[in-house]
Amino acid sequence: MGKQRYTASKSRSQGRSAWSISFRHPVCRDADDKLGAKVRRGLGTADEAKADALVAEMNTLLSDESYWNIAERSRAEQRFTNSVVRAFYGPMESPAGSDLAAVRDAALPLPGRDEGYSRVLFMGTTGTGKTSLLRQLIGSHPDKDRFPSTSTGKTTIADIEVITSPGDFEAVVTFFPQRLIRTHVAESILEACKTAWRGDSDKRVARDLLNHKEQRFRLGYILGNWAPEAEAGDDDDWGDDPGTADEAEGPASESMPTENDREAMQSFLDSCLESIRELVEQSDRELSEELEEPLRKLAGDDQEAALALLVERLEKTDAYSTLIDAIMNEIGMRFNHLDGGKLTKRGGWPEKWTYSDGDREAFIRKIRWFSSNHHKAYGRLLTPVVQGIRVRGPLLAGFLDDVPKLVLLDGEGLGHTPESAANVSTHYTSRYALVDVILLVDNAEQPMQAAPLSVLRSVATGGYQDKLAIAFTHFDSVKGDNLPDFSAKRDHVLASLRSALSSLRDAIGDVAASALERKIEDRCFMLGMLDRPIDKIPGGPRKQLLHLAKSIEKAIEPEPRPDARPKYDPAGLAFAVQSAAGDFHSLWDARLGYRHRDGVYKEHWARVKALTRRVALRMDNCEYQHLMPVAELLGRLSEAISRFLDAPARWDPAPSDDDEAASAIAQIRAEVHTALHSFAMERIVEQHLVDWSRAFDYAGKGSTYERAQELRDIYGEAAPVPGIELSEVASDFLSAVRRLVFRAIKKGGGELVLSE
């Protein structure tokens, strides 16, 4: 392997007798995304000779790359001391922000079915009105309360968890880790640099700095808007009413930025733009001299390659790191404006904020700072750095008489991806087993798009069709000469739903599709005018809201367990795995430019690199936009195995009807689906962290091709396609899937039989 790059040493703090070990981790990255994060762990001994022996063990581990993935931990445990193993593998097992739900649980636990609470997971495409529906269910006035916030674009990126319960109001807010925020800041700066390099105006450079291209991280909420002189025509009358309650009241008017604050924010943003232009010009000049050709005169693929080189050069400059540090310092200073509650930090960075109050109005004013998108508060809002908001209290819907026992879980909307192979993030699918209702919110005005269809696919093949309910919003806008009344309009919407389900039959199988079709229409709710106060909503929509609320309250009532037991011949499972792996590779080969696939296009190098960054750092759920390799492998396997489960070899005892058969199979599907989450994460990410880091680090000419080839190799080892002649890697993969499915069949109440 050549000269060893990583070595460990021992030390002890002043006044302490126990020794600690320090080393740079060969897989984990530091705050600047560079390999070799510093690790310091206690060794649990004051004996220097023992400490030296443990340091020697760590150096042996650091020198052998075969141990550098999480799957090798059990092998390491057989050779090395526990304290050494924990020190090395501990940082690899802690994705950014992975423990923040546990932080909220410690401060304000989520009640469950055993306490009489029904848990509801809200899902829906951005803009369909799912947060407006949540507002109605918790009695949040759209003008006076405005919690949670809504808009026509992406608004909710944090997990918002509401517990409706008598008593005082309580809240716990958790924040994204510093490293993740730093990554988003760095990407925003690079995007602004690209815009500046193309010669665009300061206005566009500021736009790209203050609004991350994913539209999830908006620096403008924290730093304030860049506000040059208004251009002619900017303020033409568009019919807005400046006198509305929403306009008149900010999140907390007494804490709004002052004129002096705005001047200081403008000055800081001006300095950022100046730094960006200096960065770009210096790097462009240096690269142009090295290439002996002006970068800006290149065109087509040559210009794209030059831009990639420019980005790599920018990332290596001290000025770039200095600008990131300056913005991070500004973000940190915004926490100083918090008034009330208790802010807890970890490692110098805010981890959580807790608050309680008996007064509803005062409580809402405080909590709004963490979810608001109000333009008058720009420069003070903490919304972009908030990872989760959990509130508890007597949040009573205006159409109910008593506070129901509900846990309402909302979050970021599904993307508007046109890709036919759209998938649902594992951030959501991993919750299916933990909730009582999966509430899909969709727009009644239009046919179902790819994102809600992907939810139906994942719910059906995951065995959770009995948990699914659909809230169709904007039902008041469903109009036509052929739709004279509510019944006709409802039939029109349901016909569209039936058409959507029919289109999924090939993907999810007849049994799963039929089971969904038989029951879902009774769990569809036609809603409208959700943006109005409840007293302004007519009787029809109010009745549907009440029907929905009562339905989800009853969702905790236990379903009878079927007596029927399916028995499976395992012979057909190999074909299911082959189909799933083949489909996964077809998808990614098209994205990486190795083959053609209808509806899937080659991904831009910057998106592929952004994905490798997120996996290498284990942040953002190891996903970037619609690129979700873990969710995609899980989805393909889940669908293929679901079709295998549709056809038991026989039953003993036999089901009494189709519903009992579907219910028996659904229990096994759910066991498979749950197990596949950890399996897919281990195969795609945990066993290949070194490879993902290498893919992210590729730079210079040809790096796009090298990165694509690295990903293809990762996927080839993680999910090889079993053929007639099984390679060792394919055999191991097939055997692992078989073990997972066989355990799920037995746990779900089924049995295995051998072929005759």
Side-chain angles (χ1 to χ4, degrees):
M1 248 179 80
K3 186 177 179 181
Q4 182 176 331
R5 291 181 54 196
Y6 303 99
T7 57
S9 62
K10 72 179 191 300
S11 62
R12 54 185 174 192
S13 301
Q14 187 174 5
R16 297 199 175 187
S17 59
W19 291 94
S20 295
I21 191 169
S22 301
F23 62 97
R24 288 191 176 273
H25 205 289
V27 174
C28 298
R29 294 174 178 268
D30 61 18
D32 293 314
D33 292 353
K34 296 177 181 178
L35 273 177
K38 291 181 179 179
V39 177
R40 179 183 169 87
R41 295 286 189 274
L43 290 175
T45 181
D47 188 314
E48 185 169 7
K50 287 183 178 179
D52 286 335
L54 294 173
V55 169
E57 285 190 26
M58 180 63 78
N59 282 327
T60 300
L61 197 158
L62 290 169
S63 67
D64 189 344
E65 191 172 340
S66 70
Y67 285 103
W68 294 0
N69 80 65
I70 199 70
E72 297 300 321
R73 178 166 185 158
S74 59
R75 183 165 69 95
E77 288 172 341
Q78 297 174 11
R79 181 177 179 184
F80 303 110
T81 306
N82 285 338
S83 58
V84 172
V85 172
R86 286 196 301 270
F88 184 80
Y89 290 101
M92 297 171 66
E93 294 178 326
S94 303
S98 63
D99 58 346
L100 291 176
V103 171
R104 295 195 296 276
D105 287 338
L108 189 59
L110 282 181
R113 177 174 293 199
D114 57 334
E115 297 177 64
Y117 280 80
S118 178
R119 294 186 180 184
V120 185
L121 176 63
F122 285 67
M123 301 185 70
T125 310
T126 298
T128 54
K130 64 184 181 66
T131 303
S132 294
L133 173 56
L134 174 62
R135 281 182 171 187
Q136 293 292 350
L137 291 175
I138 64 174
S140 177
H141 195 282
D143 297 328
K144 298 176 182 177
D145 295 329
R146 299 182 317 286
F147 173 77
S149 294
T150 62
S151 76
T152 54
K154 285 187 178 180
T155 305
T156 304
I157 62 169
D159 290 330
I160 295 181
E161 305 160 341
V162 181
I163 307 165
T164 59
S165 170
D168 285 347
F169 296 92
E170 301 175 80
V172 56
V173 177
T174 50
F175 304 100
F176 286 114
Q178 185 176 19
R179 187 174 71 178
L180 190 149
I181 297 301
R182 189 179 179 89
T183 296
H184 286 316
V185 169
E187 290 180 339
S188 298
I189 292 173
L190 289 177
E191 202 62 30
C193 285
K194 292 177 188 177
T195 304
W197 181 75
R198 295 186 182 102
D200 283 336
S201 65
D202 281 351
K203 182 177 181 179
R204 292 191 175 184
V205 175
R207 175 200 64 192
D208 288 344
L209 172 65
L210 298 176
N211 293 280
H212 191 279
K213 59 185 177 181
E214 280 190 283
Q215 297 184 4
R216 300 178 68 246
F217 181 73
R218 292 180 167 92
L219 264 175
Y221 286 12
I222 306 174
L223 302 183
N225 262 344
W226 187 75
E229 292 294 325
E231 297 178 7
D234 279 357
D235 295 319
D236 288 345
D237 182 17
W238 285 83
D240 295 329
D241 178 10
T244 62
D246 183 66
E247 193 72 20
E249 300 178 20
S253 56
E254 71 276 8
S255 301
M256 288 293 184
T258 65
E259 191 59 35
N260 287 339
D261 291 332
R262 296 187 189 282
E263 290 178 3
M265 289 186 287
Q266 181 66 39
S267 177
F268 176 74
L269 291 175
D270 285 340
S271 70
C272 289
L273 296 192
E274 183 179 351
S275 297
I276 285 170
R277 292 207 179 274
E278 290 176 357
L279 264 168
V280 168
E281 291 308 314
Q282 179 181 345
S283 297
D284 176 82
R285 185 169 54 253
E286 293 174 356
L287 270 176
S288 295
E289 291 175 359
E290 291 177 16
L291 297 175
E292 299 181 348
E293 186 174 7
L295 292 186
R296 290 188 172 97
K297 288 188 176 181
L298 299 175
D301 291 342
D302 289 338
Q303 188 180 81
E304 278 296 309
L307 190 56
L309 292 174
L310 181 72
V311 167
E312 291 168 5
R313 177 62 60 95
L314 288 168
E315 290 178 311
K316 294 177 181 177
T317 63
D318 291 338
Y320 170 73
S321 296
T322 299
L323 181 55
I324 295 174
D325 290 339
I327 292 177
M328 289 297 295
N329 184 60
E330 286 290 316
I331 293 173
M333 289 171 60
R334 296 304 186 267
F335 287 91
N336 296 335
H337 296 294
L338 284 177
D339 179 25
K342 180 182 179 182
L343 183 66
T344 303
K345 295 185 178 182
R346 183 177 182 182
W349 181 258
E351 180 183 60
K352 68 177 179 181
W353 177 84
T354 52
Y355 179 69
S356 63
D357 202 315
D359 182 84
R360 183 184 186 281
E361 185 177 345
F363 178 80
I364 293 293
R365 276 204 310 270
K366 295 291 186 185
I367 202 68
R368 211 156 44 203
W369 278 108
F370 303 99
S371 72
S372 177
N373 58 358
H374 198 285
H375 69 94
K376 287 189 175 182
Y378 285 3
R380 289 283 177 86
L381 297 176
L382 294 170
T383 308
V385 298
V386 173
Q387 184 270 344
I389 301 173
R390 183 175 296 177
V391 299
R392 178 171 186 151
L395 297 155
L396 177 65
F399 49 87
L400 295 176
D401 296 325
D402 300 307
V403 179
K405 287 187 173 183
L406 299 177
V407 175
L408 306 173
L409 308 175
D410 190 18
E412 185 175 3
L414 304 173
H416 291 276
T417 174
E419 190 173 277
S420 60
N423 287 271
V424 183
S425 169
T426 54
H427 180 69
Y428 295 106
T429 58
S430 62
R431 294 180 170 191
Y432 287 176
L434 306 176
V435 301
D436 302 293
V437 178
I438 301 167
L439 183 60
L440 175 60
V441 183
D442 199 39
N443 190 339
E445 292 183 275
Q446 61 189 23
M448 278 194 171
Q449 306 299 309
L453 282 174
S454 69
V455 174
L456 294 181
R457 285 174 61 166
S458 67
V459 167
T461 57
Y464 299 106
Q465 66 266 17
D466 287 344
K467 294 184 177 184
L468 181 67
I470 305 179
F472 286 102
T473 59
H474 304 285
F475 185 74
D476 51 305
S477 298
V478 176
K479 298 176 181 178
D481 293 340
N482 61 327
L483 305 173
D485 53 27
F486 174 83
S487 180
K489 293 176 181 179
R490 187 175 190 275
D491 287 344
H492 173 75
V493 173
L494 293 181
S496 176
L497 172 60
R498 287 191 291 270
S499 176
L501 291 173
S502 179
S503 71
L504 294 178
R505 280 189 173 272
D506 288 343
I508 68 178
D510 286 338
V511 174
S514 296
L516 200 54
E517 287 175 346
R518 283 195 299 273
K519 295 186 177 182
I520 191 57
E521 291 190 13
D522 292 334
R523 296 197 296 271
C524 289
F525 306 89
M526 307 298 153
L527 309 177
M529 309 176 192
L530 294 175
D531 58 339
R532 301 183 184 183
I534 191 62
D535 58 356
K536 302 296 184 183
I537 296 179
R542 282 170 64 105
K543 185 177 180 181
Q544 286 287 301
L545 275 170
L546 180 61
H547 186 197
L548 170 62
K550 295 299 183 183
S551 176
I552 59 182
E553 268 192 278
K554 295 178 181 178
I556 60 171
E557 295 176 2
E559 293 284 339
R561 188 177 180 91
D563 294 325
R565 293 173 63 86
K567 296 191 174 186
Y568 292 95
D569 183 340
L573 184 58
F575 297 104
V577 176
Q578 183 184 59
S579 172
D583 192 34
F584 176 78
H585 284 285
S586 171
L587 172 64
W588 273 97
D589 280 354
R591 286 176 174 165
L592 297 174
Y594 289 103
R595 72 165 80 173
H596 171 77
R597 174 167 166 163
D598 289 340
V600 182
Y601 303 96
K602 183 179 179 181
E603 293 294 335
H604 191 274
W605 64 267
R607 278 193 291 274
V608 177
K609 183 171 183 179
L611 172 66
T612 62
R613 180 198 298 269
R614 278 153 178 77
V615 180
L617 295 176
R618 300 191 72 191
M619 57 179 273
D620 281 352
N621 212 44
C622 295
E623 300 168 353
Y624 182 72
Q625 296 180 355
H626 62 282
L627 303 181
M628 309 176 183
V630 175
E632 286 155 357
L633 178 59
L634 183 151
R636 301 294 81 77
L637 284 170
S638 184
E639 289 172 10
I641 294 170
S642 176
R643 293 192 294 272
F644 162 75
L645 295 173
D646 277 351
R650 57 180 180 268
W651 293 84
D652 184 20
S656 58
D657 54 27
D658 289 343
D659 283 343
E660 186 180 9
S663 180
I665 294 174
Q667 290 188 2
I668 299 172
R669 282 199 184 97
E671 295 292 345
V672 170
H673 190 260
T674 298
L676 280 175
H677 279 81
S678 57
F679 176 80
M681 178 62 77
E682 180 181 337
R683 298 289 305 193
I684 294 291
V685 175
E686 292 174 354
Q687 293 183 8
H688 295 280
L689 279 175
V690 174
D691 305 319
W692 282 103
S693 287
R694 184 164 51 243
F696 172 56
D697 284 335
Y698 281 124
K701 187 176 181 180
S703 60
T704 298
Y705 171 79
E706 292 173 322
R707 188 173 295 111
Q709 187 59 54
E710 189 73 50
L711 263 63
R712 202 182 194 202
D713 290 344
I714 290 171
Y715 297 150
E717 290 187 17
V721 182
I724 297 175
E725 295 183 5
L726 281 177
S727 66
E728 183 178 353
V729 174
S731 179
D732 289 344
F733 175 63
L734 180 57
S735 296
V737 176
R738 278 176 170 162
R739 287 193 297 272
L740 182 152
V741 174
F742 295 168
R743 284 195 296 266
I745 289 173
K746 294 177 181 178
K747 191 173 180 180
E751 295 180 16
L752 294 171
V753 296
L754 298 176
S755 300
E756 295 180 358

